[in-house]
Amino acid sequence: MQVGKSGRTYVVCPLCGHAFGTAYAGTYVTIGREADLCPKIPGRPSDGARVIRNSVTMCPACSFAAGEPFDELDLTFDERYCIEERLKEDGLLKVFRKGQPPWLGFHAAEVCGKERSLKSRGLGDLCLRASWVCRKEKERPFESTFQLRALRHFMRALQEDALVGRELSVTTYLVGELNRRLGNHREALNWYVNAHRTTGGDPRVAWLDRLIDRQSKLAREQAA
Ligand SMILES: [Zn+2]
């Protein structure tokens, strides 16, 4: 369980220089996790969604977004140019910028992250968190959209990111779990087996082995 604080802070957009007040996530209280590792947060689901949303910051002027603190970002000239172009042309941002749906910051952070050459594991993480927010806010079609995007990034991460240890095990497990949630039960079962192989009975990830067993049973029932 994490205990802590959140609050407001002023930041300057590294892309357009706009200064604005924003909420920061800090740490927060959780009461366990769902099987796709979505934190269970006390209170209403929308309160939990807000806490998760605070893990990305989006500039209200130009839509630049990132999971990292803005003052730690140093964009190169080329990155700036490419990000500006991508943000201007992005279809979802064009349609949803005004309405500000709860997942928008994660989408924008993914768009910007690709131009900043973020690793696939990190891009997948942004999409996974977007899917959690959608679930808590009951945005079903968008939940699946982001689960599929997270799945693709995680698959690429397993091929390209040279993951090891706990990160390799958790990513492999999530490929299984996201497949299960998207209705690909047999595919999910194969990935749970792969995930189990990566843990090698390491007691530090015993919790993950238990989760793999439980979700495999569920996937087998669903596949039947
Ligand atoms: Zn900006």
Side-chain angles (χ1 to χ4, degrees), residues 15-220:
L15 189 63
C16 75
H18 180 62
F20 60 99
T22 184
Y24 63 87
T27 52
Y28 49 85
V29 179
T30 61
I31 44 172
R33 286 181 182 266
E34 295 176 52
D36 65 349
L37 308 187
C38 174
K40 296 180 189 168
I41 297 164
R44 291 170 305 174
S46 56
D47 295 335
R50 192 171 326 116
V51 169
I52 297 169
R53 281 171 71 178
N54 290 346
S55 64
V56 290
T57 308
M58 179 165 65
C59 171
C62 72
S63 301
F64 175 83
E68 302 95 321
F70 274 11
D71 60 3
E72 286 176 14
L73 295 177
D74 197 6
L75 304 175
T76 66
F77 181 82
D78 285 347
E79 280 174 338
R80 257 171 221 279
Y81 177 77
C82 293
I83 293 170
E84 269 174 12
E85 290 301 302
R86 284 279 287 128
L87 288 174
K88 260 186 264 170
E89 287 161 14
D90 185 78
L92 279 180
L93 280 170
K94 271 184 194 159
V95 175
F96 289 102
R97 192 177 268 133
K98 273 215 176 72
Q100 294 275 318
W103 47 263
L104 194 67
F106 294 98
H107 169 70
E110 186 202 12
V111 169
C112 298
K114 282 181 187 163
E115 299 303 326
R116 290 166 50 218
S117 309
L118 235 61
K119 285 211 155 86
S120 295
R121 184 63 179 78
L123 293 171
D125 211 50
L126 287 168
C127 294
L128 181 65
R129 278 185 278 157
S131 78
W132 295 343
V133 165
C134 291
R135 183 155 75 246
K136 287 184 191 291
E137 297 280 12
K138 301 199 167 40
E139 298 242 14
R140 277 299 293 173
F142 280 104
E143 182 187 349
S144 304
T145 300
F146 283 109
Q147 283 171 333
L148 188 59
R149 282 206 220 167
L151 175 60
R152 287 177 179 155
H153 285 306
F154 287 154
M155 300 264 294
R156 200 166 303 133
L158 290 174
Q159 288 170 347
E160 296 171 2
D161 285 1
L163 306 177
V164 291
R166 179 195 158 103
E167 197 175 34
L168 172 65
S169 302
V170 170
T171 307
T172 311
Y173 164 74
L174 283 171
V175 168
E177 180 59 16
L178 288 167
N179 264 304
R180 191 191 65 77
R181 285 173 184 254
L182 290 163
N184 313 321
H185 302 120
R186 303 219 167 263
E187 193 76 354
L189 281 167
N190 289 336
W191 283 100
Y192 291 140
V193 171
N194 291 343
H196 206 61
R197 277 194 198 118
T198 66
T199 65
D202 183 345
R204 285 169 301 179
V205 285
W207 63 272
L208 187 60
D209 277 328
R210 283 195 296 275
L211 199 53
I212 292 167
D213 286 343
R214 208 180 72 200
Q215 298 309 102
S216 299
K217 194 164 167 280
L218 191 59
R220 265 194 298 275

